[in-house]
Amino acid sequence: MDLFEHTLQERLSSEAPLAARMRPRTLDEFVGQSDIVGQGRLLRRAIEADRLFSSLILWGPPGTGKTTLAMIIANQTQSHFETLSAVLAGKAELRQVIKEAKERRSLYHKRTILFIDEVHRWNKAQQDALLPFVENGIFTLIGATTENPYFEVISALVSRSRIFQLRPLEDEDVRLILERTLRDSDRGYGKRDIKIDEAAIQHLIRVAGGDARNALNALELAVESTPPDTKGTIHITLDVAQESIQRRAVLYDKDGDSHYDTISAFIKSIRGSDPDAALYWLAKMLYAGEDPRFILRRLLISAGEDIGLADPSGLVVANAAAQAFEYIGLPEGIYAIVEAVLYLATAPKSNTTGAYFKAFKHIEEEGIIEVPNHLKDSSRDRFALGHGKGYKVPHAVSDHFLPQQYLPTDLLGTYFYTPSNQGYERQVQERLERWRAAQRAALGIKDTETLPDLKDQVIKEIKTKHKAR
């Protein structure tokens, strides 16, 4: 590094954002994640001994210390430390790192640690390229990701790595970081006369949501945008703090874990008849910029799956909300969405539409049985083959019901559908009992079988076999 480059690096360091300047340099400065790097913990011992036992994947939301831990390892290790960003780097950069790591190992017997930030951004082929060199020890990998590595990182890398999950910082951890920053004379604001009200610091902590970077960015904006008073004191009030961090940054990648976790919580709240929780998760999704049409599609599914015949109007309401939104859009279209959410959450519940999957599973296991002759289409082969002969039209009698055969003969007495006793379906239950009794008497059915409900996993597997054509 020449003099000019050294001067540039010094200037960049002093002018870096507060969060970058305050990044911990040692494990003693690191705040939070005590279950991972607390005194005596496995990873801490490995870092202090400079003996990483395997490749690592650091998984957690932004601002929880993934990159910081990697930089601490870089400061403590005797190995050569390389950094790549999966957002910016590709195979060409990786090939160069691998080439240099091989030379370093063969010529100088020096190990290489490769840190890849946002490793989940690399596709399968790029991740596959890492595998041979992780296996043969050319380098030790440290991957950082905000997404679940069991889904976003190839299984071969996951199986060869130790995964550490970092969680949002506790409020007391964020407070410690802010107070340390205000005292630090070298990298923080220790040389300035800053007075921060307790209400202001509590607001910064609460809205930061366990994200140290978010809290420090807000503190920096508050300090740098507030002029000192006549005594040279910068006074950070609650109003100033609220302006500095007006809106909590919600972790919500539309292709990531939080997206699926939140919609899962939303649907489960509706299924569980908790309108308050349903509204909360709805608000989180819309706050984070979720597509309202995605939410409406999920409501339509829930109306059929979770409310069903206990309240058939649920599907009507959900569909009306979807149509209304197309006419109105945001912001007023939110009323239609909320009405559907509250209707479904407070409606009686039934999941008996899942009876369909019993029939599907039966066909899958037993094969398809021919349609009884009297149920076949009579418009084409009535005269030649007798199709449709003997069929009786139920509307020909006053109560519009005739007890005749509809299932194949081998399945007579098999019941896929068992009505619940909820809401409207209670009436269905009463009618169906009468109809089935009349059918058994008319057809001489003596043995019956009510098929048990299928497990959720079986239903999920059957759903995957339904493809749009």
Side-chain angles (χ1 to χ4, degrees):
M1 181 184 299
D2 61 27
L3 178 61
F4 297 105
E5 187 175 352
H6 177 75
T7 303
L8 174 62
Q9 291 297 327
E10 289 287 317
R11 187 167 69 251
L12 289 176
S13 178
S14 63
E15 294 174 357
L18 178 65
R21 300 201 306 271
M22 290 303 301
R23 188 186 295 278
R25 297 161 295 189
T26 67
L27 285 171
D28 290 335
E29 291 182 358
F30 192 87
V31 177
Q33 315 301 344
S34 58
D35 58 326
I36 296 176
V37 291
Q39 289 291 342
R41 305 301 293 187
L42 177 65
L43 182 56
R44 186 185 185 104
R45 298 200 311 271
I47 294 172
E48 289 175 336
D50 193 15
R51 298 282 295 179
L52 289 185
F53 39 81
S54 69
S55 291
L56 309 177
I57 295 178
L58 305 176
W59 164 33
T64 53
K66 301 183 297 297
T67 303
T68 295
L69 261 182
M71 293 301 102
I72 289 173
I73 293 171
N75 291 336
Q76 300 223 168
T77 186
Q78 295 300 310
S79 301
H80 181 81
F81 195 91
E82 285 279 354
T83 299
L84 289 178
S85 168
V87 177
L88 301 175
K91 277 192 173 181
E93 291 83 359
L94 178 59
R95 278 195 292 268
Q96 183 63 30
V97 168
I98 292 169
K99 176 184 176 184
E100 293 173 357
K102 285 180 176 178
E103 292 176 352
R104 205 176 290 117
R105 192 65 181 268
S106 61
L107 296 177
Y108 307 108
H109 306 290
K110 193 177 183 70
R111 295 184 302 142
T112 298
I113 296 176
L114 173 60
F115 173 60
I116 302 180
D117 199 12
E118 304 288 343
V119 66
H120 64 276
R121 301 274 188 148
W122 270 0
N123 60 35
K124 183 180 183 300
Q126 290 171 307
Q127 293 183 34
D128 280 335
L130 292 168
L131 192 58
F133 308 102
V134 170
E135 285 186 317
N136 63 22
I138 292 298
F139 55 71
T140 300
L141 172 69
I142 301 177
T145 175
T146 56
E147 302 300 334
N148 188 333
Y150 294 103
F151 294 110
E152 302 298 334
V153 178
I154 61 172
S155 58
L157 273 182
V158 168
S159 67
R160 289 163 176 78
S161 304
R162 184 71 179 263
I163 295 175
F164 292 94
Q165 185 175 6
L166 285 71
R167 304 187 185 280
L169 299 180
E170 300 292 336
D171 286 354
E172 54 266 31
D173 295 330
V174 179
R175 177 183 286 274
L176 177 59
I177 291 168
L178 292 175
E179 290 175 346
R180 178 185 291 176
T181 301
L182 291 169
R183 293 193 305 267
D184 192 309
S185 299
D186 295 328
R187 297 179 293 159
Y189 288 131
K191 293 180 180 178
R192 298 203 199 182
D193 184 7
I194 297 173
K195 176 185 176 183
I196 182 167
D197 294 346
E198 177 60 23
I201 201 166
Q202 286 183 7
H203 180 77
L204 294 179
I205 293 168
R206 184 175 64 255
V207 181
D211 183 335
R213 187 185 301 111
N214 197 11
L216 288 171
N217 288 344
L219 177 63
E220 181 176 28
L221 180 58
V223 170
E224 301 299 342
S225 64
T226 303
D229 61 17
T230 55
K231 296 180 181 179
T233 299
I234 296 173
H235 185 193
I236 308 299
T237 64
L238 176 59
D239 287 343
V240 173
Q242 288 174 334
E243 287 183 339
S244 300
I245 190 168
Q246 292 177 343
R247 185 177 172 100
R248 183 192 295 265
V250 175
L251 177 62
Y252 196 86
D253 183 339
K254 290 184 183 179
D255 294 319
D257 295 338
S258 186
H259 164 81
Y260 294 107
D261 290 344
T262 306
I263 194 64
S264 174
F266 174 64
I267 293 302
K268 287 173 181 173
S269 299
I270 291 175
R271 183 183 301 142
S273 301
D274 189 333
D276 304 294
L279 287 175
Y280 176 82
W281 298 119
L282 172 67
K284 177 185 176 182
M285 289 187 288
L286 291 176
Y287 180 98
E290 181 59 81
D291 182 357
R293 292 172 182 83
F294 169 75
I295 298 171
L296 286 161
R297 288 194 294 271
R298 296 300 306 182
L299 289 176
L300 286 164
I301 295 168
S302 180
E305 181 179 7
D306 299 317
I307 286 78
L309 285 178
D311 186 352
S313 294
L315 186 57
V316 177
V317 171
N319 190 56
Q323 291 182 339
F325 184 82
E326 293 302 321
Y327 282 113
I328 304 168
L330 289 176
E332 284 81 3
I334 189 63
Y335 292 116
I337 298 175
V338 170
E339 181 176 340
V341 168
L342 292 176
Y343 190 97
L344 297 183
T346 56
K349 305 297 189 296
S350 170
N351 67 340
T352 57
T353 51
Y356 159 78
F357 298 103
K358 302 178 194 178
F360 189 97
K361 187 170 187 291
H362 190 280
I363 290 172
E364 194 174 41
E365 293 176 348
E366 304 296 332
I368 297 174
I369 302 174
E370 187 178 4
V371 175
N373 204 57
H374 68 289
L375 297 181
K376 291 180 178 179
D377 177 23
S378 63
S379 64
R380 295 179 300 161
D381 300 314
R382 178 178 53 177
F383 298 109
L385 300 175
H387 288 179
K389 183 179 181 180
Y391 172 67
K392 300 173 183 177
V393 180
H395 299 304
V397 296
S398 58
D399 61 357
H400 300 265
F401 173 75
L402 282 170
Q404 63 183 322
Q405 177 181 352
Y406 293 102
L407 275 172
T409 302
D410 290 347
L411 290 178
L412 286 176
T414 301
Y415 299 141
F416 299 105
Y417 172 55
T418 303
S420 75
N421 61 357
Q422 298 297 305
Y424 168 79
E425 202 164 18
R426 189 183 298 113
Q427 300 174 40
V428 175
Q429 186 181 57
E430 295 167 357
R431 284 198 301 272
L432 193 56
E433 285 177 357
R434 295 196 309 271
W435 292 342
R436 282 176 171 170
Q439 188 183 54
R440 287 194 296 271
L443 300 178
I445 299 172
K446 299 190 183 323
D447 298 323
T448 64
E449 180 186 13
T450 300
L451 298 186
D453 291 340
L454 300 179
K455 293 182 179 180
D456 288 344
Q457 185 57 41
V458 175
I459 291 176
K460 287 179 181 177
E461 290 172 1
I462 293 175
K463 282 181 182 178
T464 64
K465 299 171 184 177
H466 290 66
K467 305 294 184 183
R469 298 184 186 278

